[in-house]
Amino acid sequence: VLVDENFDILQFRGRTDRFLEMPPGEPTTNVLQMAREGLFLELRSALTEARKSAEVVRRDGIRVRTDEHIHLIDLEIIPVRPLGQGQYLLVLFNDAETDAPAARSGSLPALSDSDAQIEAGQLRQELGATREYLQSLIEQQDAANEELRSANEEVLSSNEELQSTNEELETAKEELQSANEELTTVNEQLQRRNLELDLANNDLTNLLSSTSIPVVMVGGDLRLRRITGPARRPMNLLPSDVGRPISDLSLSFIVPDLAEIVSDVIERVQTVEREVEDREGRWYLMRVHPYRTADNKIDGAVIVLLDVDQIRHAQVELHHRTEELGQQVQLMELSQDAIIVRDADNRILSWNHGAQVIYGWSAEEVKGLPLEEVLGTDKERWRLLNKDLDEHGAWEGELRQVRRDGTALIMHSREVLVRDQHGHRLAVLSIKRDITELRNAIQALTEADRRKDEFMATLAHELRNPLAPVRNAVEIMRIAGDNPATMARLREMLDRQVQQLSRIVDDLIDVSRIVEKKIELRRGVVALTQLVDTALETTRSRIEGRHQQLTVSLPARPVQLDVDSVRISQVIINLLDNASKYTEAGGNIWLTAELALDGKGKDEPVGLILEVRDDGVGITADLLPHVFDMFTQGSQTRKEGRGGLGVGLSLVRSLVEMHEGGIRAASEGPGQGATFTVQLPLAGAKTVATPEEAGVDEKAPLRPARLLVVDDSVDHAESLGMLLRLMGHEVHLAASGPEALEAVATFRPDVALIDIGLPGMNGYDVARRIREQRKYRGIVLVAQTGWGQEEDRLRSKSAGFDHHLVKPVSRDAVESILKGRKRT
């Protein structure tokens, strides 16, 4: 192969395709680019040496890989310098496996006649070509001789100049000799430098071949200069890619602008880092460094790939964990529970917002402080907690602690111990929940349950008290027969006990209605004297029966109140009964009323102050704040048998507050009596309606009437029928709805007292059926039932009833209806 100074192929002969990857007919190209595997380095080294030295260079025993075989060749490079032209290099490839033996034997194999003729023809063609080539060389030589003749004349003319300068050269000879000595010294230094360079080159070669880091060196022309073995797989490179432009490579990782990055690094002399991902999803850190020469010039770039796939996944995992921890920290901050972390010495490390809300301390104020001192935990309790925590690793229980302002707290705490790798205490996580209100509520419920049990026991006791005389009275009536004196005493006793039973039931119903906020006041203008008279009529017999002295003091001027007369009378009755119950026989009770003035000098009344005072057993200091609570009774009064149901004072307070008034209790202690003070609003300019003005004649005689009693309870129906007959009325009884409708048609009653809870057709259906017929619309319908709430009254009214009576039905209620007064 004939090549020029740049190693570009000019001509080739023979089987060059065995050593070069260039089929015949290809355009001229660089011989190094076409060298087969194993030949490139030796060929480049030999060509470079021959070009520099202009001498024949040989390389023997080179192993060259073809597609199927490995050949052993001898390489010979002969410098050729034609006249008037540049230097050429003749490259000869000798097959050492076949050519060498023939050379040693000195003989050639015999040829056949046909082969000899073919070879002779080829030799003639080559000789003809050589003759033409030599003829051109002769012509060139002749032209060169002409040029030499002209140059000889110039040389002769310059010879004189040379002789003149010879002397100068002689003088400089000595200088050159001294310089030669210096050059010799420098040459020795260069030789040492070359040795060092060879050593460094060997070190670099070994380093690049042994390193596991992918490294690619790129020249200033952006062609691959050197690659390491580990760079082949991640960058999809082959050894044959050396010398190719980097833009022509198909890299396995996704960096579409790699050529631009390398160019930018070479231009700006700045290192560039970028994380890249290959097609398999593996991540690398690509660093592109400027390639600096020994004289600090930039002659390319170095691409280094660092496998950061695990680091990348770890970063992604760390990022996810960080987000999760951030969410957990945010949830901890948003938690209403106190979440506290303390170290091995019980000093606070972390304090969330919930802890700040519960305890009143900010995180900045408590960090680094002992937890037990900040929260005021009992020392012995704290010691036992930590001991149990060290033994079991966790603890759960209740702690009594203190807020910053001194408020006592009951905390439900969960403690979890975190240990280090040696098992020593590292930190403790505490989750605390304020259960103070819960514990107080439980305590209140427990107390309410206790009061309820006491109430049920008291209710049973209170109910047995009137029931026992009633039962005894029934037995006496069986034995005594018709003895007038005995029957009179029994009637009085039964009347008192029935009133007591009615009183108990009314109190329970009123309390229930007040609790459910279903009670409705029927307010009107009423005189104070009327309210007091009603209360005294009810309570006087009991007070006198205990030989107690009652003193009443009322204002001299008339006082009018805007109240529900029945309810306020009930308030006064309850207070007087309560005073009588807790005052010894022969004691004193005072009922006092006075006007409350405005205190601004005008002496205008703004309200009424009603006071009930006694000199009885008094109220203890611990019971006084709770006297108006439901089911509350003093322990001493229960022992003495004075206790009632424990609902009276609670009912009184509710009724007074419903009238926009107030009530308070006072006592100096046991044996010092008690005082209950009620404040009520006064009426405006309204006047009091008297019975006469209301059109009711209390003294009018009761006319006989035809009465129908409908009730499925035989005892109740017969007893009520007997009472009405004794009052002078004609009575008919019915036990069901159909019987009632039949009796209406045949008996034609003036008034029908119908039970609501009838079997089958109930009282509402009976009333509707009666009201559907015009001829029966004059009958007065009265509902009798055990339900007396407002919605029950409205329902009976919508069914067609004129009145609503709550069992047991009293004689006065029936007389009021018969007289035309609506007391329902």
Side-chain angles (χ1 to χ4, degrees):
V1 179
L2 185 63
V3 300
D4 59 11
E5 293 179 346
N6 297 324
F7 309 149
D8 290 334
I9 298 175
L10 301 176
Q11 293 182 6
F12 59 90
R13 290 286 188 274
R15 295 289 304 279
T16 57
D17 57 342
R18 297 173 59 188
F19 315 108
L20 301 179
E21 296 179 347
M22 183 181 74
E26 284 290 322
T28 302
T29 184
N30 192 287
V31 69
L32 293 177
Q33 295 181 359
M34 310 309 299
R36 289 188 178 274
E37 184 177 357
L39 181 60
F40 175 80
L41 295 177
E42 293 292 345
L43 181 58
R44 184 178 65 177
S45 174
L47 286 172
T48 303
E49 183 178 353
R51 184 175 60 181
K52 291 182 179 180
S53 64
E55 296 180 356
V56 177
V57 177
R58 291 181 60 86
R59 296 286 191 270
D60 298 334
I62 301 174
R63 299 172 65 87
V64 180
R65 180 187 294 275
T66 63
D67 295 338
E68 298 178 355
H69 305 285
I70 297 176
H71 298 275
L72 187 66
I73 68 169
D74 295 335
L75 178 65
E76 183 178 4
I77 300 177
I78 304 173
V80 179
R81 189 182 297 275
L83 293 177
Q85 298 184 16
Q87 186 184 41
Y88 295 161
L89 299 174
L90 183 61
V91 183
L92 303 178
F93 302 99
N94 298 317
D95 193 341
E97 297 175 351
T98 57
D99 297 343
R104 287 194 296 269
S105 65
S107 62
L108 296 173
L111 299 174
S112 64
D113 293 339
S114 61
D115 292 338
Q117 291 177 2
I118 293 172
E119 186 174 0
Q122 291 178 349
L123 291 175
R124 290 189 191 96
Q125 291 178 359
E126 291 180 0
L127 286 174
T130 304
R131 186 182 299 110
E132 292 177 359
Y133 178 70
L134 291 175
Q135 183 64 36
S136 65
L137 290 178
I138 292 171
E139 293 176 357
Q140 293 176 1
Q141 184 67 32
D142 291 340
N145 288 336
E146 291 296 331
E147 293 178 356
L148 286 175
R149 291 188 188 95
S150 61
N152 188 33
E153 294 176 358
E154 294 178 358
V155 170
L156 291 175
S157 63
S158 62
N159 188 32
E160 296 178 355
E161 296 178 0
L162 291 174
Q163 289 178 355
S164 62
T165 57
N166 188 33
E167 295 178 357
E168 296 178 358
L169 292 174
E170 289 293 336
T171 56
K173 184 178 181 180
E174 296 178 356
E175 296 179 359
L176 288 174
Q177 289 177 351
S178 62
N180 189 34
E181 294 177 357
E182 295 178 358
L183 288 174
T184 302
T185 305
V186 171
N187 187 38
E188 294 176 354
Q189 294 177 354
L190 287 176
Q191 290 179 354
R192 288 195 300 270
R193 293 285 180 86
N194 287 335
L195 292 175
E196 293 175 358
L197 182 60
D198 291 339
L199 180 61
N201 187 47
N202 293 333
D203 292 343
L204 177 61
T205 303
N206 283 276
L207 176 63
L208 293 178
S209 61
S210 61
T211 183
S212 61
I213 301 176
V215 179
V216 176
M217 295 184 182
V218 182
D221 56 355
L222 301 184
R223 293 178 179 271
L224 292 184
R225 184 176 294 173
R226 187 184 294 270
I227 63 174
T228 62
R232 296 181 182 180
R233 187 189 64 80
M235 300 187 71
N236 194 25
L237 295 176
L238 296 174
S240 59
D241 290 328
V242 174
R244 296 179 61 186
I246 195 171
S247 59
D248 294 346
L249 301 178
S250 177
L251 303 178
S252 61
F253 56 87
I254 305 171
V255 186
D257 56 344
L258 181 60
E260 289 80 0
I261 293 175
V262 174
S263 299
D264 189 64
V265 169
I266 296 174
E267 181 180 354
R268 298 188 179 185
V269 196
Q270 292 181 350
T271 302
V272 173
E273 287 188 358
R274 179 181 295 183
E275 287 188 356
V276 297
E277 183 181 13
D278 64 10
R279 292 185 177 89
E280 297 177 357
R282 195 170 187 84
W283 285 89
Y284 296 88
L285 175 62
M286 183 184 72
R287 292 179 179 171
V288 184
H289 302 270
Y291 182 98
R292 296 179 184 273
T293 62
D295 53 355
N296 201 25
K297 292 182 179 180
I298 305 302
D299 190 25
V302 179
I303 303 173
V304 180
L305 291 181
L306 299 177
D307 190 350
V308 295
D309 190 66
Q310 293 183 353
I311 299 176
R312 175 83 176 191
H313 290 304
Q315 288 177 344
V316 173
E317 180 67 21
L318 179 61
H319 178 70
H320 292 328
R321 292 294 302 274
T322 302
E323 288 184 347
E324 292 177 359
L325 289 175
Q327 294 175 357
Q328 293 175 5
V329 170
Q330 186 177 5
L331 291 174
M332 288 175 58
E333 284 298 317
L334 295 176
S335 175
Q336 296 181 354
D337 294 340
I339 302 177
I340 305 169
V341 179
R342 64 182 189 270
D343 60 13
D345 297 327
N346 292 323
R347 295 187 178 275
I348 298 173
L349 297 176
S350 176
W351 182 274
N352 75 329
H353 181 70
Q356 179 176 341
V357 172
I358 293 174
Y359 293 107
W361 299 91
S362 65
E364 292 75 12
E365 293 174 325
V366 298
K367 279 187 177 179
L369 299 179
L371 180 62
E372 68 276 15
E373 295 182 7
V374 173
L375 304 184
T377 309
D378 180 71
K379 293 183 179 180
E380 181 61 21
R381 178 71 166 167
W382 184 253
R383 185 188 66 80
L384 295 175
L385 182 153
N386 283 279
K387 179 181 178 182
D388 195 42
L389 190 62
D390 290 331
E391 292 178 356
H392 304 287
W395 182 89
E396 182 174 356
E398 294 183 5
L399 295 173
R400 294 189 176 273
Q401 296 176 333
V402 182
R403 277 179 54 88
R404 183 175 186 173
D405 57 6
T407 304
L409 298 174
I410 302 176
M411 305 297 295
H412 181 270
S413 180
R414 292 185 179 91
E415 310 278 336
V416 179
L417 177 62
V418 180
R419 304 180 188 272
D420 59 14
Q421 57 183 358
H422 302 294
H424 300 149
R425 176 184 284 205
L426 183 62
V428 178
L429 172 65
S430 300
I431 302 177
K432 302 179 183 297
R433 175 168 296 180
D434 186 0
I435 60 171
T436 306
E437 294 184 1
L438 177 62
R439 281 286 172 250
N440 292 339
I442 292 175
Q443 184 177 359
L445 289 174
T446 304
E447 179 64 19
D449 186 65
R450 183 188 64 80
R451 292 180 180 177
K452 181 262 296 180
D453 292 341
E454 293 179 354
F455 164 75
M456 296 302 295
T458 304
L459 176 61
H461 173 74
E462 292 292 325
L463 289 175
R464 290 190 185 100
N465 285 338
L467 286 176
V470 170
R471 184 172 183 177
N472 293 335
V474 172
E475 295 296 331
I476 294 172
M477 292 172 66
R478 290 176 180 173
I479 298 173
D482 297 333
N483 189 320
T486 302
M487 295 302 294
R489 292 182 60 187
L490 290 177
R491 283 195 297 271
E492 294 177 359
M493 180 179 64
L494 289 174
D495 182 62
R496 288 195 303 270
Q497 300 309 320
V498 169
Q499 289 182 7
Q500 179 67 12
L501 285 172
S502 299
R503 175 79 176 278
I504 293 173
V505 173
D506 290 342
D507 283 349
L508 291 176
I509 292 174
D510 286 341
V511 169
S512 175
R513 293 171 65 186
I514 289 175
V515 169
E516 296 179 5
K517 297 182 179 179
K518 294 182 179 180
I519 194 169
E520 180 181 355
L521 296 180
R522 301 181 181 182
R523 304 180 69 158
V525 179
V526 60
L528 173 62
T529 55
Q530 181 179 345
L531 298 174
V532 173
D533 290 343
T534 302
L536 293 178
E537 289 177 1
T538 305
T539 60
R540 190 181 301 277
S541 60
R542 178 170 184 171
I543 294 175
E544 292 178 351
R546 293 177 58 84
H547 306 287
Q548 294 167 340
Q549 181 66 36
L550 174 63
T551 303
V552 180
S553 176
L554 302 178
R557 57 187 291 186
V559 178
Q560 297 177 354
L561 302 175
D562 183 15
V563 295
D564 185 326
S565 60
V566 175
R567 296 303 180 182
I568 295 302
S569 296
Q570 187 177 0
V571 168
I572 301 174
I573 291 170
N574 269 285
L575 292 177
L576 290 174
D577 275 346
N578 197 64
S580 176
K581 183 188 302 182
Y582 293 103
T583 302
E584 299 293 342
N588 296 286
I589 300 173
W590 293 269
L591 172 61
T592 306
E594 60 182 12
L595 294 172
L597 304 180
D598 59 1
K600 297 181 180 179
K602 298 180 180 180
D603 293 337
E604 294 182 0
V606 295
L608 176 70
I609 298 176
L610 185 69
E611 183 178 275
V612 177
R613 182 167 57 91
D614 62 70
D615 57 1
V617 298
I619 306 173
T620 59
D622 60 333
L623 180 62
L624 187 60
H626 306 287
V627 292
F628 295 108
D629 295 344
M630 187 74 71
F631 310 140
T632 298
Q633 298 178 1
S635 59
Q636 186 63 30
T637 58
R638 289 196 301 269
K639 293 178 182 179
E640 297 174 355
R642 302 177 184 271
L645 296 179
V647 299
L649 291 179
S650 177
L651 177 62
V652 166
R653 181 180 64 178
S654 299
L655 292 175
V656 170
E657 290 176 352
M658 291 176 67
H659 285 83
E660 296 87 33
I663 184 172
R664 64 179 183 275
S667 176
E668 296 296 330
Q672 302 297 318
T675 302
F676 290 86
T677 305
V678 178
Q679 185 172 358
L680 295 171
L682 297 177
K686 300 178 182 179
T687 58
V688 181
T690 62
E692 290 77 8
E693 293 172 345
V696 179
D697 186 4
E698 293 288 344
K699 298 181 180 180
L702 184 62
R703 294 175 297 174
R706 299 167 62 86
L707 305 180
L708 172 64
V709 177
V710 184
D711 201 314
D712 59 329
S713 175
V714 177
D715 291 339
H716 183 270
E718 290 184 351
S719 61
L720 182 58
M722 292 174 61
L723 175 62
L724 297 176
R725 290 189 183 97
L726 292 175
M727 294 170 59
H729 304 291
E730 184 178 357
V731 180
H732 184 84
L733 304 180
S736 65
E739 290 183 18
L741 295 177
E742 184 180 353
V744 168
T746 58
F747 183 63
R748 302 296 295 268
D750 299 317
V751 178
L753 290 88
I754 305 173
D755 181 28
I756 297 298
L758 294 174
M761 181 186 296
N762 60 30
Y764 299 126
D765 296 332
V766 173
R768 293 189 187 96
R769 294 285 295 276
I770 294 175
R771 292 303 185 206
E772 288 174 357
Q773 302 185 45
R774 182 181 298 274
K775 59 182 178 180
Y776 299 144
R777 291 185 179 180
I779 300 175
V780 177
L781 299 182
V782 180
Q784 54 168 339
T785 177
W787 304 100
Q789 298 183 2
E790 189 62 29
E791 58 266 27
D792 301 318
R793 298 178 184 274
L794 294 175
R795 186 177 180 185
S796 63
K797 184 177 181 180
S798 63
F801 284 101
D802 298 299
H803 303 279
H804 186 103
L805 298 180
V806 179
K807 293 181 179 179
V809 177
S810 66
R811 174 183 175 181
D812 293 339
V814 175
E815 288 183 351
S816 298
I817 292 173
L818 295 177
K819 289 181 179 180
R821 187 170 65 179
K822 295 182 179 180
R823 291 178 56 186
T824 61

